[in-house]
Amino acid sequence: MAVGKEIRTKIGSIKNTQKITRAMEMVAASKMRKTKDRMQATRPYSKKIGIIIKHLAQANPEYKHPYLITREVKRIGVILVGSDRGLCGGLNSNLFRKMLAQLIQWDKENIEVDVCTIGTKASGFFSNLRVNLVGQVSKLGDSPHLEDIVGVIKIMLDSYEAGRIDQLYIVSNEFVNTMTQRPTIEQLLPVVACELDENLSGHWDYIYEPDAKDVLDYLLNRFIESKVYQGLVENNACEQAARMVAMKSASDNAGNLIGELQLIYNKARQAAITQEISEIVAGAAAV
Amino acid sequence: MNMTVHVDIVSAEKEIFSGLAEMVFAPAELGEVGISPRHAPLITKLNPGEVRVKVNVNESYQFYISGGLLEVQPHLVTILADTAIRAKDIDEAAVLNAKARAEEALADKSGKVDYATAQSELAQAVMQLRTLDRLRKRGG
């Protein structure tokens, strides 16, 4: 029977798509678990280094590091963390929209912007815009290493030290839970001091070995690096979670579509049968 | 009972050790140091080498670190370990790489970038189709 051949092919192709999206959903779900673990594994370091920075803010060092001094803002550096692959819902576009809004605002204030990007999507987005892209790294995979992103961070830190940029921001997604990822813009430089520890009041200072400048240099560099690294790992977890949700809704939509098409197909088939019977009956009556 | 101090050893990628110890030995830049409880506040860079944590007479742990930072508070010792050996020239090379990639991305307007644009256009088209579909359903 030739009825609804097109509909049947259509149903077949949607079923194939559904198989793919379902597989991607499951892959994303298992990867999400791993990336979330990795995200949690980076927390102790950033917590510890945060505590040391806090202690330092309370100590009374004779040396003031440039990272701790606020300057008048003429030029801003931004590290944008995007994903390497697409098909993860609105994750990247939400982030880029937020970034664009911020860029427009800076533009109004006559502040110029230097951008470093992490991830293929981020650099793809910015190569279409006229912004000053100074560094880029991508294809880091699911388990990125700190060494991979040292380059882009150092570009920014060097230009901060040279006075080319006066503030440094990181733009990335924050993992709230599996369903929610929030795009955030966070200031990295100058380092903002957090609330103080009561136990350490009074005048005191560390013994610095070899000297305060060296140690502070090292510490603040590592602090920024760990912040960016955490942003990257967190963004990875966000990517997998967003992809899982997007693929799940794609599979559900495909299911709905198949249901609807099946209904249309059945109706068409029944109409054809009815018509045939009525034709036969009419023919028999005529004889 | 002997006095102990809380010791945390962490690297950017994971937590390595956390617990009480009687003494910690670390390869500081100016020579190896041993930290006992109630040491004065100290902050120093570490060379690549071995960190030893003496939990008690019978039990001690050893970790290899590739450089890092040691912070000492009277009741707390924190070691931030690097994940890899870092040297100035290696970092410089990483900078050059990142810059080169940025230039490449800017120069390469065809290829992958076009693919990304095409993908975003496709996403827009899909959204438009979906809106149309919704309108039609409401109309019909």
Side-chain angles (χ1 to χ4, degrees), chain A residues 41-42 44-45 48-49 52 55-56 121 124 127-128 133-139 144-147 150-152 154-155 200 204-210 214-215 218-219 222 225 229 260, chain B residues 8 10-15 28-30 33 40-45 67-69 71-73 78 80-84 86 91-92 94-95 98-99 101-102 105-106 109 112-113 117 119 137:
Chain A
T42 63
Y45 187 88
K48 285 282 143 32
I49 201 161
I52 298 181
H55 288 169
L56 264 178
K121 291 282 152 188
S127 51
N128 290 337
L133 189 63
V134 289
Q136 190 249 329
V137 63
S138 56
K139 303 213 176 58
H145 290 291
L146 186 64
E147 297 87 67
V150 166
V152 289
K154 197 157 164 38
I155 289 177
L200 288 170
W204 63 279
D205 198 3
Y206 281 111
I207 304 168
Y208 297 95
E209 274 180 26
D214 252 27
V215 172
Y218 175 90
L219 182 67
R222 289 296 179 277
E225 278 170 17
Y229 182 70
E260 274 170 36
Chain B
D8 286 309
V10 290
S11 82
E13 285 166 23
K14 62 175 187 286
E15 184 166 40
E29 252 190 7
L30 301 180
V33 290
L42 164 79
I43 197 160
T44 177
K45 276 160 74 177
L69 186 101
E71 190 227 12
V72 181
Q73 288 283 347
T78 312
L80 303 173
D82 285 346
T83 42
R86 299 279 296 274
D91 285 6
E92 295 295 342
V95 167
K99 277 191 181 149
R101 276 193 301 266
L106 285 178
K109 289 277 182 205
K112 276 171 252 159
V113 180
T117 342
Q119 219 170 22
K137 260 187 195 155

Coordinates of all heavy atoms in Angstrom, one line a residue, chain A residues 41-42 44-45 48-49 52 55-56 121 124 127-128 133-139 144-147 150-152 154-155 200 204-210 214-215 218-219 222 225 229 260, chain B residues 8 10-15 28-30 33 40-45 67-69 71-73 78 80-84 86 91-92 94-95 98-99 101-102 105-106 109 112-113 117 119 137:
Chain A
A41 N 37.4 18.6 43.2 CA 38.8 18.4 43.6 C 39.7 19.7 43.6 O 40.7 19.8 44.3 CB 39.5 17.4 42.7
T42 N 39.3 20.7 42.8 CA 40.0 21.9 42.8 C 39.7 22.8 43.9 O 40.4 23.8 44.1 CB 39.8 22.7 41.5 OG1 38.4 23.1 41.4 CG2 40.1 21.8 40.3
P44 N 39.7 22.5 47.3 CA 40.6 22.7 48.5 C 41.7 23.7 48.2 O 42.0 24.6 49.0 CB 41.2 21.3 48.7 CG 40.2 20.4 48.1 CD 39.6 21.1 47.0
Y45 N 42.3 23.6 47.0 CA 43.5 24.5 46.7 C 43.0 26.0 46.7 O 43.6 26.8 47.3 CB 44.0 24.2 45.3 CG 45.3 24.9 44.9 CD1 46.5 24.4 45.3 CD2 45.2 26.1 44.2 CE1 47.7 25.0 44.9 CE2 46.4 26.7 43.8 CZ 47.6 26.2 44.2 OH 48.8 26.9 43.8
K48 N 42.3 27.1 50.2 CA 43.5 27.3 51.0 C 44.3 28.6 50.5 O 44.7 29.4 51.4 CB 44.5 26.1 50.8 CG 44.0 24.9 51.6 CD 44.3 25.0 53.0 CE 43.3 24.5 54.0 NZ 42.5 23.4 53.7
I49 N 44.4 28.8 49.2 CA 45.1 30.0 48.8 C 44.4 31.2 49.1 O 44.9 32.2 49.5 CB 45.5 29.8 47.3 CG1 46.7 30.8 46.9 CG2 44.3 30.1 46.4 CD1 47.3 30.4 45.6
I52 N 45.2 32.0 52.7 CA 46.6 32.6 52.8 C 46.5 34.1 52.4 O 47.1 34.9 53.0 CB 47.6 31.8 52.0 CG1 47.7 30.4 52.5 CG2 49.0 32.5 52.1 CD1 48.7 29.6 51.8
H55 N 45.1 36.0 55.1 CA 46.1 36.2 56.2 C 47.0 37.3 55.8 O 47.4 38.2 56.6 CB 46.9 34.9 56.4 CG 46.1 33.9 57.1 ND1 46.6 32.6 57.2 CD2 44.9 33.9 57.7 CE1 45.7 31.9 57.9 NE2 44.7 32.6 58.2
L56 N 47.5 37.3 54.5 CA 48.4 38.3 54.1 C 47.9 39.7 54.1 O 48.6 40.6 54.5 CB 48.8 38.0 52.6 CG 50.1 37.2 52.4 CD1 50.3 36.9 50.9 CD2 51.2 38.0 53.0
K121 N 34.6 27.8 21.0 CA 33.4 28.6 20.8 C 33.7 30.0 21.1 O 33.2 30.9 20.4 CB 32.3 28.0 21.7 CG 31.8 26.7 21.3 CD 30.9 26.8 20.1 CE 30.9 25.5 19.3 NZ 30.3 25.5 18.1
G124 N 35.8 31.6 18.4 CA 35.0 31.7 17.2 C 34.0 32.9 17.3 O 33.9 33.7 16.3
S127 N 36.2 36.2 16.9 CA 36.8 36.5 15.7 C 35.9 37.3 14.8 O 36.3 37.9 13.8 CB 37.4 35.3 15.1 OG 36.4 34.3 15.0
N128 N 34.6 37.2 15.0 CA 33.6 37.9 14.2 C 33.4 39.4 14.7 O 32.9 40.2 14.0 CB 32.3 37.2 14.2 CG 32.3 36.0 13.4 OD1 33.2 35.8 12.6 ND2 31.5 35.0 13.7
L133 N 41.8 40.6 20.4 CA 42.1 39.3 20.9 C 43.6 39.1 21.1 O 44.3 39.1 20.1 CB 41.5 38.2 19.9 CG 41.5 36.8 20.4 CD1 40.6 36.6 21.6 CD2 41.0 35.9 19.2
V134 N 44.1 38.9 22.3 CA 45.5 38.9 22.5 C 46.0 37.5 22.8 O 47.2 37.2 22.6 CB 46.0 39.8 23.6 CG1 45.8 41.3 23.2 CG2 45.2 39.5 24.9
G135 N 45.2 36.6 23.1 CA 45.6 35.2 23.4 C 44.5 34.2 23.3 O 43.3 34.6 23.5
Q136 N 44.8 33.0 23.0 CA 43.8 32.0 22.8 C 44.3 30.6 23.0 O 45.4 30.3 22.7 CB 43.3 32.1 21.3 CG 42.0 31.4 21.0 CD 42.2 30.2 20.1 OE1 43.1 30.2 19.3 NE2 41.5 29.1 20.3
V137 N 43.4 29.8 23.7 CA 43.8 28.4 23.8 C 42.5 27.6 23.7 O 41.4 28.1 24.1 CB 44.5 28.1 25.2 CG1 43.6 28.5 26.4 CG2 45.0 26.7 25.3
S138 N 42.6 26.4 23.0 CA 41.4 25.7 22.9 C 41.7 24.2 22.8 O 42.9 23.8 22.8 CB 40.6 26.1 21.7 OG 41.4 26.1 20.5
K139 N 40.7 23.4 22.6 CA 40.8 21.9 22.6 C 41.6 21.3 23.8 O 42.6 20.6 23.6 CB 41.5 21.5 21.3 CG 40.8 22.0 20.0 CD 41.0 21.1 18.9 CE 40.2 21.6 17.7 NZ 40.6 22.9 17.3
P144 N 41.3 19.2 31.6 CA 42.3 20.2 31.3 C 43.4 20.2 32.4 O 43.1 19.9 33.6 CB 41.5 21.5 31.3 CG 40.3 21.3 32.1 CD 40.0 19.8 32.0
H145 N 44.6 20.6 32.1 CA 45.6 20.8 33.1 C 45.9 22.2 33.2 O 45.8 23.0 32.3 CB 46.9 20.0 32.7 CG 46.7 18.5 32.8 ND1 46.5 17.9 34.0 CD2 46.5 17.6 31.8 CE1 46.3 16.6 33.8 NE2 46.3 16.4 32.5
L146 N 46.4 22.6 34.4 CA 46.7 24.0 34.7 C 47.8 24.5 33.7 O 47.7 25.6 33.3 CB 47.2 24.1 36.1 CG 47.5 25.5 36.7 CD1 46.2 26.2 36.7 CD2 48.1 25.4 38.0
E147 N 48.7 23.6 33.3 CA 49.8 24.1 32.5 C 49.3 24.5 31.1 O 49.9 25.4 30.5 CB 50.8 22.9 32.2 CG 51.5 22.4 33.4 CD 50.7 21.4 34.1 OE1 50.6 20.3 33.6 OE2 50.2 21.6 35.2
V150 N 48.4 28.3 31.3 CA 49.4 29.3 31.8 C 49.6 30.4 30.9 O 49.7 31.6 31.3 CB 50.7 28.5 32.2 CG1 51.8 29.5 32.5 CG2 50.4 27.7 33.5
G151 N 49.7 30.0 29.6 CA 50.0 31.0 28.6 C 49.1 32.2 28.6 O 49.5 33.4 28.7
V152 N 47.8 31.9 28.4 CA 46.8 33.0 28.3 C 46.8 33.9 29.6 O 46.6 35.1 29.6 CB 45.4 32.5 28.0 CG1 45.3 32.0 26.6 CG2 44.9 31.5 29.0
K154 N 49.3 34.3 31.7 CA 50.6 35.1 31.8 C 50.5 36.4 30.9 O 51.0 37.4 31.2 CB 51.8 34.3 31.5 CG 53.1 34.9 32.0 CD 54.1 33.9 32.2 CE 55.5 34.5 32.3 NZ 55.6 35.7 33.0
I155 N 49.9 36.2 29.7 CA 49.8 37.4 28.8 C 49.1 38.5 29.6 O 49.5 39.6 29.6 CB 48.9 37.0 27.6 CG1 49.7 36.1 26.7 CG2 48.5 38.3 26.8 CD1 48.8 35.6 25.5
L200 N 43.4 36.8 64.1 CA 44.8 37.2 63.7 C 44.9 38.7 63.8 O 45.8 39.3 63.2 CB 45.0 36.8 62.2 CG 45.2 35.3 62.0 CD1 45.2 35.0 60.5 CD2 46.5 34.9 62.6
W204 N 51.4 42.0 63.2 CA 52.4 40.9 63.1 C 52.7 40.8 61.6 O 52.0 41.4 60.7 CB 51.8 39.6 63.5 CG 50.6 39.2 62.7 CD1 49.3 39.6 62.9 CD2 50.5 38.3 61.6 NE1 48.4 39.0 62.0 CE2 49.2 38.2 61.2 CE3 51.5 37.5 61.0 CZ2 48.8 37.4 60.1 CZ3 51.1 36.7 59.9 CH2 49.7 36.7 59.5
D205 N 53.7 40.0 61.3 CA 54.0 39.8 59.9 C 54.7 38.4 59.7 O 55.2 37.9 60.7 CB 54.9 40.9 59.3 CG 54.9 41.0 57.8 OD1 54.2 40.2 57.2 OD2 55.6 41.8 57.3
Y206 N 54.6 38.0 58.5 CA 55.3 36.7 58.2 C 56.8 36.9 58.2 O 57.3 38.0 58.0 CB 54.9 36.2 56.8 CG 53.5 35.6 56.7 CD1 52.5 36.2 56.1 CD2 53.3 34.3 57.3 CE1 51.3 35.6 56.0 CE2 52.1 33.7 57.2 CZ 51.1 34.3 56.5 OH 49.9 33.7 56.4
I207 N 57.5 35.7 58.3 CA 58.9 35.7 58.0 C 58.9 35.3 56.5 O 58.3 34.3 56.1 CB 59.7 34.6 58.8 CG1 59.5 34.8 60.3 CG2 61.1 34.6 58.4 CD1 59.9 33.7 61.1
Y208 N 59.5 36.1 55.6 CA 59.4 35.8 54.2 C 60.8 35.2 53.8 O 61.8 35.8 54.1 CB 59.2 37.1 53.4 CG 57.8 37.7 53.6 CD1 57.7 38.7 54.6 CD2 56.7 37.3 53.0 CE1 56.5 39.3 54.8 CE2 55.5 37.8 53.2 CZ 55.4 38.9 54.1 OH 54.1 39.4 54.4
E209 N 60.7 34.1 53.1 CA 61.9 33.5 52.6 C 61.7 33.3 51.1 O 60.8 32.7 50.7 CB 62.2 32.2 53.3 CG 63.0 32.4 54.5 CD 63.3 31.0 55.2 OE1 63.3 30.0 54.5 OE2 63.5 31.0 56.4
P210 N 62.5 33.7 50.2 CA 63.7 34.5 50.4 C 63.4 36.0 50.7 O 64.1 36.6 51.5 CB 64.5 34.4 49.0 CG 63.5 33.8 48.1 CD 62.4 33.2 48.8
D214 N 59.4 38.3 46.1 CA 59.4 37.0 45.5 C 58.2 36.1 45.9 O 57.5 35.6 45.0 CB 60.7 36.2 45.9 CG 61.6 36.2 44.7 OD1 61.6 37.1 43.9 OD2 62.4 35.2 44.7
V215 N 58.0 36.1 47.2 CA 56.9 35.2 47.7 C 55.5 35.7 47.3 O 54.7 34.9 46.8 CB 57.0 35.1 49.2 CG1 55.8 34.3 49.8 CG2 58.3 34.4 49.6
Y218 N 54.9 35.1 43.6 CA 54.5 33.7 43.4 C 53.1 33.4 43.8 O 52.3 32.9 43.1 CB 55.5 32.9 44.1 CG 55.2 31.4 44.1 CD1 55.7 30.6 43.1 CD2 54.4 30.8 45.0 CE1 55.4 29.3 43.0 CE2 54.1 29.5 45.0 CZ 54.6 28.7 44.0 OH 54.3 27.4 43.9
L219 N 52.8 33.9 45.0 CA 51.5 33.6 45.6 C 50.4 34.2 44.8 O 49.4 33.5 44.5 CB 51.5 34.1 47.0 CG 50.2 33.8 47.8 CD1 50.1 32.3 48.1 CD2 50.2 34.5 49.1
R222 N 49.9 32.4 41.5 CA 49.2 31.1 41.7 C 47.7 31.3 42.0 O 46.9 30.6 41.6 CB 49.8 30.3 42.8 CG 51.2 29.8 42.5 CD 51.1 28.8 41.3 NE 52.4 28.3 41.0 CZ 53.3 28.9 40.2 NH1 53.0 30.0 39.7 NH2 54.5 28.4 40.0
E225 N 46.0 32.1 38.8 CA 45.9 30.8 38.0 C 44.9 29.9 38.5 O 44.1 29.3 37.7 CB 47.3 30.2 38.0 CG 48.2 30.8 37.0 CD 49.6 30.2 37.2 OE1 49.8 29.2 37.8 OE2 50.6 30.9 36.7
Y229 N 41.7 28.5 36.5 CA 41.6 27.1 36.4 C 40.3 26.6 36.9 O 39.6 25.8 36.3 CB 42.8 26.4 37.1 CG 42.8 24.9 36.9 CD1 43.1 24.3 35.7 CD2 42.4 24.0 38.0 CE1 43.0 22.9 35.5 CE2 42.4 22.7 37.8 CZ 42.7 22.1 36.6 OH 42.6 20.8 36.4
E260 N 3.0 12.4 17.0 CA 2.1 13.2 16.1 C 2.0 12.6 14.7 O 1.0 12.4 14.1 CB 2.5 14.6 16.1 CG 2.0 15.5 17.2 CD 2.6 16.9 17.2 OE1 2.9 17.4 16.1 OE2 2.9 17.4 18.3
Chain B
D8 N 47.9 20.7 55.7 CA 47.2 20.5 54.5 C 48.1 20.6 53.3 O 48.9 21.6 53.2 CB 46.1 21.7 54.3 CG 44.9 21.5 55.2 OD1 44.4 20.4 55.2 OD2 44.6 22.4 55.9
V10 N 47.9 20.7 49.2 CA 47.0 20.6 48.1 C 47.7 21.0 46.8 O 48.7 21.8 46.9 CB 45.8 21.6 48.3 CG1 44.8 21.1 49.4 CG2 46.3 23.0 48.7
S11 N 47.2 20.5 45.7 CA 47.7 21.0 44.4 C 46.4 21.6 43.7 O 45.3 21.3 44.1 CB 48.3 19.9 43.6 OG 47.3 19.1 43.0
A12 N 46.7 22.3 42.6 CA 45.5 23.0 42.0 C 44.5 21.9 41.5 O 43.4 22.2 41.3 CB 46.0 23.8 40.8
E13 N 45.0 20.7 41.2 CA 44.1 19.7 40.7 C 43.5 18.8 41.7 O 42.5 18.1 41.4 CB 44.8 19.0 39.5 CG 44.9 19.9 38.3 CD 45.8 19.4 37.2 OE1 46.1 18.2 37.2 OE2 46.3 20.2 36.4
K14 N 44.1 18.6 42.9 CA 43.5 17.8 43.9 C 44.1 18.0 45.3 O 45.1 18.7 45.4 CB 43.6 16.3 43.5 CG 45.0 15.8 43.4 CD 44.9 14.3 43.1 CE 46.2 13.6 43.2 NZ 47.0 13.9 42.0
E15 N 43.4 17.4 46.3 CA 43.9 17.5 47.6 C 44.8 16.3 47.8 O 44.5 15.2 47.5 CB 42.7 17.4 48.6 CG 43.1 17.6 50.0 CD 41.9 17.9 50.9 OE1 40.9 17.2 50.7 OE2 42.1 18.7 51.9
A28 N 62.5 24.0 51.3 CA 62.4 25.4 51.0 C 63.5 25.9 50.1 O 64.5 25.2 50.0 CB 62.4 26.2 52.3
E29 N 63.3 27.1 49.6 CA 64.3 27.6 48.6 C 65.7 27.8 49.2 O 66.7 27.7 48.6 CB 63.8 28.9 47.9 CG 63.4 28.6 46.5 CD 63.1 30.0 45.8 OE1 63.4 31.0 46.3 OE2 62.7 29.9 44.7
L30 N 65.7 28.2 50.5 CA 66.9 28.5 51.1 C 67.5 27.3 51.9 O 68.3 27.5 52.8 CB 66.8 29.7 52.1 CG 66.4 31.0 51.4 CD1 66.3 32.1 52.4 CD2 67.3 31.4 50.3
V33 N 63.5 22.8 55.4 CA 63.1 23.3 56.7 C 62.2 22.2 57.4 O 61.6 21.3 56.7 CB 62.2 24.5 56.6 CG1 63.0 25.7 56.2 CG2 61.0 24.3 55.6
A40 N 56.7 30.1 64.3 CA 56.3 31.5 64.0 C 55.7 31.6 62.5 O 56.1 30.8 61.7 CB 57.5 32.4 64.1
P41 N 54.9 32.5 62.2 CA 54.3 32.7 60.9 C 55.5 32.8 59.9 O 56.3 33.6 60.0 CB 53.5 34.0 60.9 CG 53.1 34.1 62.3 CD 54.3 33.6 63.1
L42 N 55.4 32.0 58.8 CA 56.5 31.9 57.9 C 55.8 31.7 56.5 O 54.8 30.9 56.4 CB 57.4 30.8 58.2 CG 58.4 30.3 57.1 CD1 59.6 31.3 57.0 CD2 58.9 28.9 57.3
I43 N 56.4 32.3 55.5 CA 55.9 32.0 54.2 C 57.1 31.9 53.2 O 57.9 32.7 53.3 CB 54.8 33.1 53.7 CG1 54.0 32.6 52.6 CG2 55.5 34.4 53.4 CD1 52.7 33.4 52.4
T44 N 57.2 30.8 52.5 CA 58.4 30.6 51.7 C 58.1 29.7 50.5 O 57.1 29.0 50.5 CB 59.5 29.9 52.5 OG1 60.6 29.7 51.6 CG2 59.1 28.6 53.1
K45 N 58.9 30.0 49.4 CA 58.7 29.2 48.2 C 59.4 27.8 48.4 O 60.4 27.7 49.1 CB 59.3 29.9 47.0 CG 58.3 30.9 46.4 CD 59.0 32.0 45.6 CE 59.5 31.5 44.3 NZ 60.1 32.6 43.5
G67 N 57.8 21.9 43.2 CA 57.8 23.3 43.6 C 56.5 23.7 44.2 O 55.5 22.9 44.2
G68 N 56.4 24.8 44.9 CA 55.2 25.3 45.5 C 55.5 26.3 46.5 O 56.5 27.0 46.5
L69 N 54.5 26.4 47.5 CA 54.6 27.4 48.5 C 54.3 26.8 49.9 O 53.4 26.0 50.0 CB 53.6 28.6 48.2 CG 53.7 29.8 49.1 CD1 54.5 30.8 48.3 CD2 52.4 30.3 49.4
E71 N 53.1 27.8 53.7 CA 52.7 28.8 54.7 C 52.6 28.2 56.1 O 52.0 27.1 56.2 CB 51.3 29.4 54.3 CG 50.9 30.6 55.1 CD 49.5 30.6 55.7 OE1 48.9 29.5 55.6 OE2 49.0 31.6 56.2
V72 N 53.1 28.9 57.0 CA 53.1 28.4 58.4 C 52.4 29.4 59.3 O 52.7 30.6 59.3 CB 54.5 28.1 59.0 CG1 54.4 27.6 60.4 CG2 55.2 27.2 58.1
Q73 N 51.3 28.9 60.0 CA 50.7 29.7 61.1 C 50.9 28.8 62.3 O 51.1 27.6 62.2 CB 49.2 29.9 60.8 CG 48.9 30.8 59.7 CD 49.0 32.3 60.1 OE1 49.1 32.5 61.3 NE2 49.0 33.2 59.1
T78 N 50.3 24.9 55.6 CA 49.7 24.7 54.3 C 50.7 24.6 53.3 O 51.6 25.5 53.2 CB 48.7 25.9 54.0 OG1 47.8 26.1 55.1 CG2 47.9 25.5 52.8
L80 N 51.1 24.6 49.2 CA 50.4 24.6 47.9 C 51.4 24.1 46.9 O 52.5 24.7 46.7 CB 50.1 26.1 47.6 CG 49.2 26.8 48.5 CD1 49.2 28.3 48.1 CD2 47.8 26.2 48.6
A81 N 51.1 22.9 46.4 CA 52.1 22.2 45.5 C 51.8 22.6 44.0 O 50.6 22.7 43.7 CB 52.0 20.7 45.7
D82 N 52.8 22.8 43.2 CA 52.6 22.9 41.8 C 52.3 21.6 41.2 O 52.8 20.6 41.6 CB 53.8 23.6 41.2 CG 53.9 25.1 41.5 OD1 52.9 25.6 42.0 OD2 55.0 25.6 41.3
T83 N 51.6 21.6 40.1 CA 51.3 20.3 39.4 C 52.4 19.9 38.5 O 52.5 18.8 38.1 CB 50.0 20.4 38.7 OG1 49.9 21.6 38.0 CG2 48.8 20.3 39.6
A84 N 53.2 20.9 38.1 CA 54.3 20.5 37.1 C 55.4 21.5 37.4 O 55.3 22.5 38.0 CB 53.8 20.7 35.7
R86 N 57.7 24.4 37.0 CA 57.5 25.6 36.3 C 58.8 26.4 36.2 O 59.5 26.5 37.2 CB 56.4 26.4 37.0 CG 55.1 25.8 37.2 CD 54.3 26.0 35.9 NE 54.1 27.4 35.7 CZ 53.0 28.0 36.3 NH1 52.2 27.3 37.0 NH2 52.9 29.3 36.1
D91 N 57.1 29.1 30.8 CA 56.0 30.0 30.9 C 56.0 30.9 29.7 O 55.0 31.2 29.0 CB 56.0 30.8 32.2 CG 55.5 30.0 33.3 OD1 55.3 28.7 33.1 OD2 55.3 30.5 34.4
E92 N 57.2 31.4 29.3 CA 57.3 32.3 28.2 C 56.9 31.6 26.9 O 56.2 32.2 26.1 CB 58.8 32.8 28.0 CG 59.3 33.7 29.2 CD 58.6 35.0 29.3 OE1 58.0 35.4 28.4 OE2 58.7 35.6 30.4
A94 N 54.8 29.2 26.6 CA 53.3 29.1 26.7 C 52.7 30.4 26.2 O 51.7 30.4 25.5 CB 52.9 28.8 28.1
V95 N 53.3 31.5 26.6 CA 52.7 32.8 26.2 C 52.8 33.0 24.7 O 51.8 33.3 24.0 CB 53.5 34.0 26.9 CG1 53.2 35.3 26.2 CG2 53.2 34.0 28.4
A98 N 50.1 30.9 23.0 CA 48.8 31.4 23.1 C 48.6 32.6 22.2 O 47.5 32.7 21.5 CB 48.5 31.8 24.5
K99 N 49.6 33.4 22.0 CA 49.5 34.6 21.1 C 49.4 34.1 19.7 O 48.6 34.6 18.9 CB 50.8 35.4 21.3 CG 50.6 36.4 22.5 CD 51.7 37.4 22.5 CE 51.5 38.3 23.7 NZ 52.8 38.9 24.2
R101 N 48.3 31.3 18.6 CA 47.0 30.7 18.3 C 45.9 31.8 18.1 O 45.0 31.7 17.3 CB 46.6 29.8 19.5 CG 47.1 28.4 19.4 CD 46.5 27.5 20.3 NE 46.6 28.0 21.7 CZ 47.6 27.6 22.5 NH1 48.5 26.7 22.1 NH2 47.7 28.0 23.7
A102 N 46.0 32.9 18.9 CA 45.1 34.0 18.7 C 45.2 34.6 17.3 O 44.2 34.8 16.7 CB 45.3 35.1 19.8
A105 N 43.7 32.3 14.9 CA 42.2 32.3 14.9 C 41.6 33.5 14.2 O 40.6 33.5 13.5 CB 41.7 32.3 16.4
L106 N 42.4 34.7 14.3 CA 41.9 35.9 13.7 C 42.1 35.8 12.2 O 41.3 36.3 11.4 CB 42.7 37.1 14.3 CG 42.2 37.5 15.6 CD1 43.1 38.7 16.1 CD2 40.8 37.9 15.7
K109 N 39.7 33.1 8.8 CA 38.2 33.5 8.8 C 37.4 32.4 8.1 O 36.2 32.4 8.3 CB 38.1 34.8 8.0 CG 38.6 36.0 8.7 CD 37.6 36.5 9.7 CE 38.2 37.8 10.4 NZ 37.7 38.0 11.7
K112 N 37.0 26.6 10.3 CA 36.3 26.3 11.5 C 35.3 27.5 11.9 O 34.3 27.3 12.4 CB 37.3 26.1 12.6 CG 37.8 24.7 12.6 CD 38.9 24.6 13.6 CE 40.2 24.4 12.9 NZ 41.4 24.7 13.7
V113 N 35.8 28.7 11.7 CA 35.1 29.9 12.1 C 33.8 29.9 11.3 O 32.7 30.1 11.9 CB 35.9 31.2 11.9 CG1 35.1 32.3 12.4 CG2 37.2 31.1 12.7
T117 N 29.9 30.0 12.5 CA 28.8 30.9 12.1 C 27.6 30.2 11.5 O 26.5 30.5 11.8 CB 29.3 31.9 11.0 OG1 30.8 31.8 11.0 CG2 28.8 33.3 11.2
Q119 N 26.7 27.3 12.1 CA 26.0 26.6 13.2 C 25.0 27.6 13.9 O 23.9 27.3 14.2 CB 27.0 26.0 14.2 CG 26.5 24.7 14.7 CD 27.6 24.0 15.5 OE1 28.5 24.7 16.0 NE2 27.5 22.7 15.6
K137 N 0.0 26.6 15.0 CA -0.8 25.8 15.8 C -1.9 26.6 16.5 O -3.0 26.2 16.6 CB 0.1 25.1 16.9 CG 0.4 23.7 16.6 CD 1.1 23.0 17.7 CE 1.7 21.7 17.2 NZ 2.9 21.3 18.0

